Amino acid sequence: MDRRTLLAGGSMLVAAQTLSLKAEARSKLSPATADDEHFMQLALAQAKDGDFPFGAVIVRDGEVLAQGHNSGKRLGDPTAHGEMMAIRAFLKEHDVSALKETTLYTSGEPCVMCMGAIIWCGIKRVVFAASIEELSTRIGQVDITAEEIADATPFATVEITSGVLSEEALRLFPAAKP
């Protein structure tokens, strides 16, 4: 076999391996639990205090371990989304490894930045109220879903539950402009 044939075959093998990694879904859609509405109410309460109505709480074994709300304007920090603020509050009190078995509740589907942080932190489950699609009728959004981001992550699995109290969350945003 000549070198050109060997290289062509090798590149085909790499391409096949890459495609198989991308085909393996890393998000796991999960149904709402009995406690989800309660904890989502807490996230919505946080959202009411935010510069924009995004709030989040981090929970493990029925205990709220951290909470946060959007503080981008107040802090002059465009990364100060509700989820990021909750993660930062959690890390002030706990080691990052303690995030592994937690659930993050958030009033809106996590943006690309927040979902990336959720994945890198190893948070097990995300529960959100309003979806990117719903939020985009009220405010500007990057049109990439949490599920798409999780599915593009071959090294982690994230459980995702959507739509818990979404109507209540959407009421916090200004009505769509005609």
Side-chain angles (χ1 to χ4, degrees):
M1 176 182 303
D2 69 7
R3 192 177 86 188
R4 185 173 290 164
T5 305
L6 180 62
L7 289 174
S11 63
M12 291 299 261
L13 180 61
V14 169
Q17 185 176 8
T18 302
L19 288 174
S20 69
L21 280 176
K22 288 186 177 192
E24 185 178 332
R26 303 312 298 176
S27 64
K28 178 181 173 190
L29 302 181
S30 63
T33 68
D35 291 333
D36 286 347
E37 284 194 16
H38 167 70
F39 291 117
M40 187 57 72
Q41 288 286 358
L42 300 177
L44 293 173
Q46 282 294 309
K48 291 174 184 174
D49 291 335
D51 295 343
F52 295 97
F54 292 100
V57 295
I58 298 174
V59 176
R60 185 178 53 233
D61 298 326
E63 180 184 356
V64 175
L65 300 173
Q67 50 194 1
H69 52 267
N70 183 293
S71 301
K73 285 183 179 179
R74 268 178 271 200
L75 298 177
D77 178 358
T79 70
H81 292 193
E83 299 94 332
M84 300 297 287
M85 298 303 289
I87 290 168
R88 291 171 187 164
F90 182 94
L91 293 173
K92 285 181 182 176
E93 302 294 323
H94 309 277
D95 185 71
V96 69
S97 63
L99 282 166
K100 299 291 183 211
E101 294 299 315
T102 61
T103 297
L104 186 143
Y105 292 86
T106 179
S107 58
E109 184 170 1
C111 71
V112 174
M113 174 187 68
C114 292
M115 192 63 190
I118 288 164
I119 289 167
W120 286 113
C121 288
I123 292 171
K124 180 180 179 179
R125 182 170 179 246
V126 174
V127 180
F128 63 83
S131 69
I132 295 282
E133 183 179 355
E134 292 169 317
L135 291 168
S136 69
T137 67
R138 307 293 177 97
I139 60 172
Q141 290 290 298
V142 174
D143 192 21
I144 301 173
T145 67
E147 184 178 355
E148 289 173 305
I149 297 164
D151 284 346
T153 308
F155 58 85
T157 299
V158 180
E159 293 177 36
I160 299 173
T161 303
S162 63
V164 176
L165 302 180
S166 63
E167 289 181 22
E168 289 86 338
L170 284 171
R171 281 191 219 116
L172 300 176
F173 291 88
K177 295 179 180 171

